[in-house]
């Protein structure tokens, strides 16, 4: 495989694909061979390093192609199994939530909140009892009894003898005990 035409930029949309022209990172072994040797390296050592570089670049391209093929195959398998990205996310969240629930910090927090809830419930029960007791005391007070008597008096005036089985309220038609006619004009 000739590495001169390979795309080695990991951010490139063409990564792992063979291309006719290299736009991201050009690697030209002929240009590299013409470059002067780094100080301290002999021409032979520099040539060996260039050959090794070309080999490593070729391996990288091959690995990218293999990875791309594996990713496509993985996507096909997931599609056949009916798994989607959303399903994978749901599984990851479920697994993460389970991990959180079994953690010591979560257990301690849960115990603390449970105790706080019990204490709050007891406090609200005490407040409820106190309010109930105060309302009972208020009902037995002279002011409330006076108010209750007044309401009773007003009720008896409005309702009248209905409680005794009679209907002392005037009829809306003003007919008294007479039955209503079948045809009432409007």
């Amino acid at each position: 495989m000739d590495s001169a035409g390979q795309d080695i930029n990991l951010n490139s949309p063409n990564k792992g694909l063979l291309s006719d022209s290299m736009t991201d990172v050009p690697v030209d072994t002929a240009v590299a061979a013409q470059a002067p040797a780094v100080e301290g390296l002999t021409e032979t050592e520099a040539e060996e390093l260039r050959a090794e570089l070309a080999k490593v670049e070729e391996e990288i391209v091959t690995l990218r192609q293999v990875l791309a093929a594996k990713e496509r195959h993985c996507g096909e398998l997931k599609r056949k199994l009916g798994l989607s990205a959303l399903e994978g996310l749901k599984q990851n969240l479920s697994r993460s939530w389970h991990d959180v629930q079994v953690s010591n910090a979560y257990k301690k927090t849960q115990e603390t909140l449970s105790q706080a809830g019990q204490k709050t419930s007891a406090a609200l029960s005490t407040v409820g009892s106190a309010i109930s007791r105060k309302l009972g005391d208020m009902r037995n007070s002279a002011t409330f009894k006076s108010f209750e008597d007044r309401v009773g008096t007003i009720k008896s005036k409005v309702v009248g003898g209905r409680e005794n089985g009679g209907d002392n309220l005037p009829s809306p038609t003003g007919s008294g005990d007479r039955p209503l006619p079948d045809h009432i004009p409007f």
Side-chain angles (χ1 to χ4, degrees), residues 108-128:
K108 288 179 182 178
T109 303
Q110 186 179 24
E111 289 172 11
T112 303
L113 290 176
S114 175
Q115 290 172 359
Q118 290 171 355
K119 289 179 181 179
T120 302
S121 177
L124 290 176
S125 176
T126 302
V127 168

Side-chain angles (χ1 to χ4, degrees), residues 63-116:
L63 290 172
R64 281 193 188 129
Q65 290 172 343
V66 170
L67 178 61
K70 296 260 184 202
E71 286 175 341
R72 280 191 303 274
H73 184 65
C74 178
E76 290 172 9
L77 292 174
K78 285 182 177 182
R79 184 183 50 77
K80 288 179 182 177
L81 290 171
L83 301 176
S84 64
L86 182 62
E87 189 67 30
L89 178 64
K90 190 165 66 170
Q91 288 176 350
N92 287 342
L93 287 174
S94 177
R95 190 176 320 118
S96 296
W97 178 242
H98 175 71
D99 292 346
V100 166
Q101 286 179 322
V102 297
S103 71
N104 288 335
Y106 179 83
K107 288 178 182 178
K108 288 179 182 178
T109 303
Q110 186 179 24
E111 289 172 11
T112 303
L113 290 176
S114 175
Q115 290 172 359

Side-chain angles (χ1 to χ4, degrees), residues 16-178:
L17 302 176
L18 295 175
S19 61
D20 294 338
S21 65
M22 188 68 182
T23 57
D24 291 338
V25 179
V27 178
D28 191 354
T29 54
V31 172
Q34 296 171 355
V38 177
E39 288 185 32
L41 291 178
T42 64
E43 191 61 37
T44 308
E45 290 172 333
E47 190 61 38
E48 288 174 1
L49 290 175
R50 286 186 199 101
E52 185 177 348
L53 175 64
K55 181 180 174 187
V56 169
E57 287 175 343
E58 187 176 316
E59 289 173 358
I60 289 171
V61 169
T62 303
L63 290 172
R64 281 193 188 129
Q65 290 172 343
V66 170
L67 178 61
K70 296 260 184 202
E71 286 175 341
R72 280 191 303 274
H73 184 65
C74 178
E76 290 172 9
L77 292 174
K78 285 182 177 182
R79 184 183 50 77
K80 288 179 182 177
L81 290 171
L83 301 176
S84 64
L86 182 62
E87 189 67 30
L89 178 64
K90 190 165 66 170
Q91 288 176 350
N92 287 342
L93 287 174
S94 177
R95 190 176 320 118
S96 296
W97 178 242
H98 175 71
D99 292 346
V100 166
Q101 286 179 322
V102 297
S103 71
N104 288 335
Y106 179 83
K107 288 178 182 178
K108 288 179 182 178
T109 303
Q110 186 179 24
E111 289 172 11
T112 303
L113 290 176
S114 175
Q115 290 172 359
Q118 290 171 355
K119 289 179 181 179
T120 302
S121 177
L124 290 176
S125 176
T126 302
V127 168
S129 297
I131 290 173
S132 178
R133 187 174 55 250
K134 287 290 183 183
L135 287 175
D137 292 347
M138 189 174 82
R139 187 161 191 241
N140 293 330
S141 72
T143 306
F144 187 82
K145 289 211 181 275
S146 172
F147 178 74
E148 188 176 32
D149 288 343
R150 287 182 186 162
V151 169
T153 303
I154 293 171
K155 179 182 174 192
S156 65
K157 287 181 181 178
V158 171
V159 174
R162 266 201 244 177
E163 294 176 351
N164 297 331
D167 188 1
N168 295 338
L169 292 176
S171 170
T173 60
S175 62
D177 292 335
R178 289 179 283 144

